[in-house]
Amino acid sequence: YNGVRAELARPIPAILLLAFIVAGIIHMELGMRSIILDYIGGQPRAWALAANTCFAVLLALACLYATLRVAFT
């Protein structure tokens, strides 16, 4: 844990980790969107797409918060 904190205290590794996290969450959201569009129809599709987007945004915010908290404490 202390080694990770020391590494994330430097800006380049922290930025790279944040970019990797954001790219992974975007990839997850796009993949789930594709599955939703293929297998769900009608009104449930709209709800599923909205839930997918909200989940991706909340997950991204939680991961960014956790990373920045480790980096700055």
Side-chain angles (χ1 to χ4, degrees):
Y1 181 74
N2 289 331
V4 173
R5 286 181 59 204
E7 198 64 31
L8 288 179
R10 299 177 27 222
I12 297 299
I15 290 170
L16 289 175
L17 180 62
L18 291 174
F20 183 73
I21 289 170
V22 169
I25 291 173
I26 290 171
H27 178 75
M28 177 208 62
E29 197 272 336
L30 291 174
M32 287 303 299
R33 179 182 297 177
S34 175
I35 292 169
I36 290 167
L37 291 175
D38 285 346
Y39 295 107
I40 299 176
Q43 186 63 25
R45 176 185 284 178
W47 285 104
L49 288 171
N52 182 44
T53 301
C54 289
F55 177 74
V57 168
L58 290 174
L59 183 63
L61 290 174
C63 289
L64 294 176
Y65 171 75
T67 304
L68 292 174
R69 182 171 172 158
V70 169
F72 289 115
T73 58

